[in-house]
Amino acid sequence: MTYTDVFQKQKQTSRSGYSFYQKLGFLYFLNLADWICTEALLASGLFVEANPIMKPVMSGIGQTILIKGVLPLALIILCAVLFKLAGAQDNKFANVLVTIGIVAYTLVNLWHIFNFVLLFFTI
């Protein structure tokens, strides 16, 4: 790899703002924020789990840690390693998928914030 190649790669990364790996990390952070907010809202007793797949899982702490903490982390690490080995960090399709995930989790977390505001007005 020549100096020009390195410079072009840095230029591409700075143009998009965030690397593929930073986006994966942010996606995992949003997942954890969703989990914590969901637990807090459920603990209030005024909200129920809206996701029918997660409803039975949220009752046990072991299952919840596995499904919302460990499994997503393992998948993020697996994606990062596979993309690094394949040299596919610059894959536009993968970046679009991760960006869609970030947008979706951001909307879910905004919904949680809205529900926290509702919760504070009912107390």
Side-chain angles (χ1 to χ4, degrees):
M1 188 178 280
T2 67
Y3 176 75
T4 307
D5 294 337
V6 171
F7 179 72
Q8 288 295 333
K9 190 166 188 81
Q10 287 176 346
K11 191 174 178 182
Q12 288 173 351
T13 302
S14 66
R15 191 180 321 139
S16 66
Y18 300 100
S19 73
F20 178 74
Y21 303 108
Q22 288 172 319
K23 289 178 184 178
L24 283 176
F26 188 56
L27 185 63
Y28 184 67
F29 168 77
L30 289 171
N31 172 62
L32 292 179
D34 169 44
W35 175 24
I36 292 167
C37 291
T38 300
E39 288 287 349
L41 289 168
L42 291 176
S44 75
L46 300 173
F47 294 90
V48 295
E49 175 62 56
N51 183 347
I53 296 170
M54 288 302 296
K55 194 174 283 192
V57 174
M58 294 301 282
S59 61
I61 189 69
Q63 289 177 325
T64 306
I65 290 173
L66 182 66
I67 300 293
K68 290 297 282 182
V70 176
L71 186 61
L73 181 60
L75 290 172
I76 293 274
I77 291 171
L78 179 65
C79 284
V81 168
L82 290 175
F83 276 78
K84 180 72 170 181
L85 292 174
Q89 302 93 309
D90 297 327
N91 186 316
K92 288 186 189 281
F93 182 71
N95 275 307
V96 167
L97 285 180
V98 171
T99 302
I100 289 171
I102 288 171
V103 169
Y105 261 119
T106 299
L107 292 173
V108 168
N109 283 306
L110 286 172
W111 181 249
H112 285 312
I113 291 169
F114 175 74
N115 285 320
F116 278 119
V117 170
L118 287 178
L119 179 65
F120 289 130
F121 280 115
T122 60
I123 293 179

